[in-house]
Amino acid sequence: MQRIVIASHILPRKKDKKKARAALKANVGITGVRKNQIFEGTPQEQVDQLVAALKKDGYDFTQGIAIDTPIVDAERVVSAGKGIGPKENMKLIEDLAKNAGAAIGSSRPVAESLRYLPLERYVGMSGQKFHGNLYIACGISGASQHLKGIVDATTIVAINTDPKAHIFKNADYGIVGDVEVILPLLSKALDTGEKKPAPPMVKMRRPFFKKSAPEYKRYVCLGCGHEYDQAYGDPEGGIDPGTPFNKLPEDWICPKCGEGKESYIEEE
């Protein structure tokens, strides 16, 4: 058995062009096709645009649930990542959760390493799964382990200081900004006084739309299906966002399987 396993990793795999092209065409964030709308302007303008978009989508902030509602039962969740900063900033999360009528959640490191919250509050592939409507990710970078816990969310909002954070590719709405600035503004904007008890959750349907293709060509690895998208580049490999595929160094390799640049095919 060990010989078979070792051999399977040593011998070259058959490169299936059909599968590679399928992976390219289906390439979206882990959470599926999202709006990927980033709000711009001053912090207040960003918050105002976000609140207007959420209300237009049908969210009623005059009602809510208890902040300690189990994640799997929550219709809304405000979640904290390591980007929230010191533990004192969890008060910002708590205030926003109350004003958004939501429960509190977190990424795995916040509960497991920082211990800001009990382990049963972290969301992710190995933690709690969120099946509700609105998920607000605060200071969460977007690790795949976490994203796999929110794939069923109807609407995902991301607030992060890093414009390159993977969470934005997996969110419907995003604000690039400091949580210490954005969260108080958002809390105030959603504050409607005492919340009415929310009725039993009705799952909201995600809008169906086709993701528009970028104006530039995209490339996919025949070895593993990894897509090189110049909008994101390969920061870990020293490739800045915006670098076209034909400008990549000849010794550049696939960040997932190590195949060479020549193993990539252009989208047809």
Side-chain angles (χ1 to χ4, degrees):
M1 181 60 72
Q2 289 179 329
R3 291 193 184 98
I4 293 174
V5 173
I6 294 172
S8 69
H9 284 77
I10 294 176
L11 295 175
R13 289 168 292 176
K14 184 178 179 180
K15 297 177 179 179
D16 191 326
K17 289 191 176 183
K18 288 185 178 180
K19 288 184 178 180
R21 289 195 177 97
L24 179 60
K25 291 179 180 179
N27 181 70
V28 291
I30 291 174
T31 60
V33 177
R34 296 285 172 176
K35 295 179 181 179
N36 303 138
Q37 184 175 352
I38 306 297
F39 299 114
E40 299 180 349
T42 66
Q44 186 63 62
E45 290 171 339
Q46 290 174 304
V47 167
D48 290 343
Q49 292 174 72
L50 171 59
V51 172
L54 292 175
K55 289 182 177 179
K56 183 178 179 181
D57 288 344
Y59 289 101
D60 180 1
F61 295 105
T62 64
Q63 59 188 29
I65 59 176
I67 62 174
D68 60 351
T69 301
I71 301 295
V72 295
D73 299 325
E75 191 259 339
R76 304 172 189 176
V77 165
V78 172
S79 209
K82 291 180 70 175
I84 195 68
K87 189 172 183 179
E88 297 76 54
N89 284 348
M90 285 301 295
K91 181 66 166 56
L92 301 177
I93 296 293
E94 182 178 335
D95 290 344
L96 179 55
K98 289 179 179 178
N99 289 320
I104 292 178
S106 75
S107 63
R108 180 173 180 172
V110 168
E112 191 173 67
S113 302
L114 299 178
R115 299 184 180 180
Y116 288 177
L117 290 173
L119 287 175
E120 63 268 20
R121 302 310 300 181
Y122 88 75
V123 180
M125 181 174 60
S126 60
Q128 303 297 316
K129 307 297 189 299
F130 177 68
H131 304 291
N133 291 323
L134 178 60
Y135 190 83
I136 304 178
C138 308
I140 293 175
S141 62
S144 60
Q145 197 275 350
H146 184 79
L147 295 172
K148 289 178 181 178
I150 60 174
V151 293
D152 292 333
T154 301
T155 305
I156 298 175
V157 175
I159 302 170
N160 199 293
T161 56
D162 183 4
K164 301 176 186 176
H166 195 52
I167 187 69
F168 288 120
K169 185 178 181 180
N170 290 273
D172 295 284
Y173 304 122
I175 291 180
V176 178
D178 189 336
V179 293
E180 293 187 10
V181 175
I182 300 298
L183 298 197
L185 293 174
L186 185 55
S187 289
K188 183 178 180 180
L190 299 179
D191 186 0
T192 59
E194 186 175 351
K195 303 291 182 183
K196 295 179 294 186
M201 184 185 77
V202 175
K203 181 66 174 175
M204 298 168 66
R205 297 182 63 181
R206 286 169 55 184
F208 174 80
F209 58 92
K210 291 184 178 180
K211 194 172 181 67
S212 59
E215 297 178 356
Y216 51 84
K217 292 291 185 180
R218 296 184 299 178
Y219 298 78
V220 67
C221 177
L222 291 173
C224 67
H226 168 264
E227 179 197 1
Y228 177 78
D229 187 333
Q230 74 178 51
Y232 298 93
D234 178 20
E236 294 184 1
I239 306 300
D240 293 330
T243 304
F245 186 82
N246 61 5
K247 297 295 183 181
L248 293 175
E250 290 304 316
D251 59 353
W252 180 80
I253 61 174
C254 173
K256 284 192 175 180
C257 70
E259 291 278 3
K261 179 181 174 182
E262 68 280 359
S263 294
Y264 280 70
I265 60 170
E266 181 182 295
E267 178 186 23
E268 293 182 344

